[in-house]
Amino acid sequence: RYFVLNNITMLHTIISSVFLYYFISKWDPLLMLCAVNIVSGFSKFIWFTAILVPRGNGFKLPSLLRFDLGIAREMYVFGIKFFIQSAASSIESRTDVLIIGGFLGPASVAFYSIPQSLVTRLRGVISTLTHAFMPAFSQLDSLGQRDRVRSLFLASSRLVVGMTILVSIGAITLGGPFIGLWIGKEYVPEGEIILYILTASLCAGMLIPLGGRYMTAVGKHGYLAKIGLLRVLVNLVLSFALIKPLGPPGVALGTLLATFAGWPLEARAILGTLQLGMPAYFRNTLIPTLLPALAMYLLISVAKSYGWTGGWFGLLLTGFLSVVVYVLLFWLFGVKREDRMRVYRLFGAV
């Protein structure tokens, strides 16, 4: 039940943020951040332990008599693959700032970290939407219902890809004005270029957004771990090669090219495991977003041409109206009725 984990995490995040907002200026900020993270982590550990303790039988201490070498080996192999996959993703997303700071100095980091932070938040929102599908994939696969797995994968991917296209268009068209109002107009020229490149990387990497969840659910995420390591290597090599001639946008370009390098391998592994053809997948997931995406882009372009995005009210109003137009058109022309009912039942059961 991923919603339990998400709700506990969200509650701790809200409490920690409110506490830091009021008290971080009264004590040492670094010590305050460390203390809040320690307390928050320990509190979540207590919550999760209480939830996982078996009901009715009480708490059982570990015993060698109940140890199963086969199960332990399976757990460790599964965990190591997942660790490699997660570590590769973290290295890929967090080394960019270190490279920029090391080669160009700390002053150049801000021009990159601001658009990167915006894209990271958007990626986090999309990733959170995919949590609920992994147990469903695992259950259906264990029952041998491959046809239902494929049907659920296509229907759910259509919705998540639709969300990905929505946030990508919003970031590309409204990200520049948002940075200008939030941080300052001096960050917009270079920040917009970096934002375009990182958003393209986000969009390309999320064209099969449920692939990682599905592969993990069926225990075949080792393929993605290997591809992730390859992508990290390509990203580091290209970032080191492009940072001098192109500056921070070169590091972003290295991320984009690494995504392009790893994407065909990931798509082949995921769709091959599902026994889905790539044309059929994109016909069912990407094509339904074209009309809503075009309408959203045209609406924002008209708003920008009239200068409506020059202030916070106009920017937020334009964003709200464009989201309404996109969601309405996507709901009418991109989502089938049976798909909506299937996803409703999924979230009701998880």
Side-chain angles (χ1 to χ4, degrees), residues 32-307:
M32 179 62 64
L33 286 172
C34 292
V36 168
N37 286 330
I38 291 173
V39 173
S40 177
F42 187 70
S43 175
K44 285 188 284 187
F45 172 78
I46 294 176
W47 274 93
F48 296 148
T49 301
I51 293 171
L52 294 174
V53 167
R55 297 291 187 270
N57 298 324
F59 182 77
K60 293 183 179 180
L61 294 174
S63 173
L64 291 176
L65 297 177
R66 292 194 294 266
F67 180 77
D68 189 312
L69 183 61
I71 294 178
R73 181 180 180 277
E74 184 178 351
M75 290 175 58
Y76 281 116
V77 170
F78 183 94
I80 290 172
K81 292 178 181 178
F82 188 78
F83 171 78
I84 294 173
Q85 184 181 357
S86 301
S89 178
S90 297
I91 293 172
E92 185 178 18
S93 61
R94 297 181 181 181
T95 53
D96 291 351
V97 173
L98 297 177
I99 294 173
I100 293 173
F103 278 84
L104 303 179
S108 300
V109 171
F111 290 93
Y112 187 89
S113 62
I114 293 170
Q116 184 195 40
S117 177
L118 181 59
V119 174
T120 300
R121 295 295 182 274
L122 297 177
R123 187 189 301 274
V125 171
I126 298 171
S127 180
T128 301
L129 294 176
T130 66
H131 279 167
F133 295 100
M134 189 162 69
F137 291 143
S138 180
Q139 181 182 12
L140 292 176
D141 184 78
S142 66
L143 296 175
Q145 300 178 359
R146 301 300 300 276
D147 291 337
R148 289 189 62 189
V149 170
R150 282 190 290 269
S151 178
L152 175 63
F153 188 89
L154 285 174
S156 307
S157 295
R158 184 181 301 118
L159 296 177
V160 182
V161 168
M163 174 64 72
T164 301
I165 300 299
L166 168 64
V167 299
S168 297
I169 294 176
I172 290 175
T173 54
L174 298 177
F178 176 79
I179 292 174
L181 292 172
W182 179 36
I183 305 296
K185 293 183 179 180
E186 66 273 15
Y187 290 92
V188 172
E190 191 171 38
E192 270 193 321
I193 297 174
I194 296 172
L195 184 62
Y196 295 157
I197 299 173
L198 292 180
T199 303
S201 178
L202 165 69
C203 192
M206 287 290 185
L207 287 179
I208 310 182
L210 299 177
R213 304 299 184 191
Y214 169 73
M215 296 293 275
T216 303
V218 300
K220 295 185 178 180
H221 52 298
Y223 296 110
L224 302 186
K226 296 175 183 178
I227 296 171
L229 291 176
L230 174 63
R231 194 171 59 239
V232 168
L233 180 61
V234 173
N235 187 11
L236 290 175
V237 171
L238 291 176
S239 296
F240 282 121
L242 297 175
I243 187 169
K244 281 296 185 181
L246 299 178
V251 177
L253 184 60
T255 300
L256 175 60
L257 294 177
T259 302
F260 285 159
W263 187 89
L265 301 175
E266 291 183 351
R268 181 180 178 182
I270 296 167
L271 298 181
T273 305
L274 280 162
Q275 298 180 350
L276 276 173
M278 197 172 296
Y281 174 80
F282 285 115
R283 187 170 59 251
N284 281 275
T285 58
L286 193 59
I287 298 300
T289 67
L290 296 182
L291 176 62
L294 179 61
M296 180 181 180
Y297 179 80
L298 290 176
L299 190 153
I300 295 176
S301 297
V302 170
K304 293 176 72 174
S305 67
Y306 281 96

